[in-house]
Amino acid sequence: MREIALKSWQAFEVELEKLARNLADRRGDETDHMVRPIFRGQSQSDWELQTSIERYLGKEISVDEYNRYLLRIKPAVEAYTERSWTIEREVDTRMFPFGTVPNYEFMLYTRHHGFPSPLLDWSESPYVALFFAYQQARVDKAVSVYAFVEDLGRGRGGWAAAPNICVQGPYVTSHRRHFIQQCQYTIATKKVDDAWVYCAHEAYFQNAKDEEQDLLLKFILPGEHKVKYLQRLQQMNLNAF
C-alpha cells in the first residue's frame, strides 16, 4: 500500500487522473481484463480497513460459523420483510479464495440493515468515498480515501491458503443504498488448517508487495476542509440522502 498525503481537493483530482492514466497505460492486448478502481472513504486516516464483524467480534470467524449466524436470523428477517430467502446450509468452499461468497445476496441485505458482516463496502465513485470520509470527520483529524484495483491485467497468484481478497460485484438484488452509492464489496479469506475463515483485510495488504497484480493507494486529506468539501459535494448532489 502506498500512502499519498494531499493538501487540497485539486490535488486529490490530480491523483485520480494519474491513477486513470496509469491504468490506461497498462491496458492493452495482454491486459484486457483489468478492472476499474473502487474507492472507500474513512473519517480518520489512522483507522485500518476493518469490516463490521471484525469490530464486533475482535477476532476472525470461520465461513461455516458465520453462515450459521445467517441461518439463525433468517426466520426473523423473512417475517419482517415478508420475503423468502434461499440460503445454503452447507457452504461450498470449492471456489475459495476467489468467486462469489456463499449467500452473498442475503449477507448483503442484512449488512445494509446493520448486521455485522465480513463484507467491506467500496464505491465506484471517488466522490462518494470522499463524502463518507468527510461526513463524520473531525476538523482536527486527517481523513483517508482508499483506491483499490483488484487485477492489473496480469492475473492474480499466490498461495491459495494465504490471506486473499476478492471483489464481490455489484450485480445483486439489495437495498437501494447499494445502487445509489455505486457499491462494490471486498471479502478477505484465508485457510486455517482445513477451515476457511473471514480474516482481516490488513492481513492481506501487509503482505502484498507485488503491485503487478493488484494496487492499493491511500490518499490522506486534511479534516479542516470538512465544511467546504461537504458543501461542494452537496452541489454534486452527494449528501446523506
Side-chain angles (χ1 to χ4, degrees):
M1 178 178 70
R2 279 187 284 152
E3 294 188 1
I4 302 173
L6 305 172
K7 294 183 178 180
S8 67
W9 177 297
Q10 292 77 13
F12 178 60
E13 291 192 319
V14 167
E15 291 299 325
L16 293 178
E17 291 175 5
K18 285 182 183 177
L19 176 60
R21 287 198 302 270
N22 179 19
L23 297 180
D25 290 343
R26 290 172 178 266
R27 200 178 306 276
D29 293 338
E30 296 181 357
T31 59
D32 287 339
H33 63 287
M34 182 189 298
V35 298
R36 296 172 59 187
I38 52 178
F39 302 89
R40 175 177 173 82
Q42 299 198 155
S43 57
Q44 290 195 31
S45 63
D46 56 352
W47 286 353
E48 294 185 338
L49 289 169
Q50 272 193 329
T51 63
S52 55
I53 195 69
E54 285 179 68
R55 293 192 297 271
Y56 182 75
L57 290 180
K59 63 178 183 178
E60 296 172 344
I61 184 171
S62 75
V63 174
D64 285 328
E65 184 180 359
Y66 187 78
N67 199 60
R68 289 196 293 272
Y69 283 122
L70 293 180
L71 287 168
R72 288 178 195 169
I73 67 171
K74 177 177 178 284
V77 174
E78 289 182 332
Y80 280 100
T81 63
E82 298 183 349
R83 173 180 172 182
S84 295
W85 299 84
T86 300
I87 297 185
E88 304 171 36
R89 289 192 166 273
E90 300 296 329
V91 176
D92 183 358
T93 58
R94 288 176 296 177
M95 293 300 292
F96 275 57
F98 304 111
T100 303
V101 68
N103 301 316
Y104 177 42
E105 186 169 325
F106 186 64
M107 183 191 295
L108 187 54
Y109 184 87
T110 57
R111 183 229 169 280
H112 272 288
H113 288 82
F115 191 72
S117 166
L119 294 167
L120 193 65
D121 55 315
W122 303 71
S123 174
E124 294 180 25
S125 166
Y127 298 105
V128 169
L130 197 64
F131 170 77
F132 281 109
Y134 277 104
Q135 182 187 23
Q136 296 182 346
R138 292 170 44 178
V139 295
D140 60 338
K141 293 280 188 179
V143 307
S144 58
V145 174
Y146 290 85
F148 178 54
V149 183
E150 180 190 26
D151 189 344
L152 290 171
R154 300 177 181 270
R156 302 189 66 196
W159 182 38
N164 273 289
I165 287 180
C166 183
V167 174
Q168 307 294 306
Y171 306 111
V172 61
T173 302
S174 182
H175 193 280
R176 62 176 180 240
R177 284 193 296 266
H178 167 80
F179 301 98
I180 293 171
Q181 296 169 10
Q182 302 179 54
C183 287
Q184 293 199 40
Y185 308 86
T186 52
I187 200 89
T189 57
K190 69 179 181 181
K191 200 169 188 180
V192 178
D193 298 326
D194 291 327
W196 285 97
V197 302
Y198 292 123
C199 66
H201 282 64
E202 293 288 340
Y204 171 77
F205 288 123
Q206 287 173 4
N207 293 323
K209 303 186 187 316
D210 185 4
E211 288 190 359
E212 289 303 310
Q213 65 176 13
D214 60 20
L215 176 67
L216 179 69
L217 301 175
K218 180 180 180 181
F219 303 117
I220 300 173
L221 295 106
E224 63 192 49
H225 299 315
K226 173 181 178 176
V227 174
K228 179 171 65 175
Y229 288 178
L230 286 177
Q231 289 174 343
R232 188 165 181 177
L233 290 164
Q234 169 67 36
Q235 293 174 338
M236 300 166 67
N237 203 32
L238 290 172
N239 51 48
F241 293 102

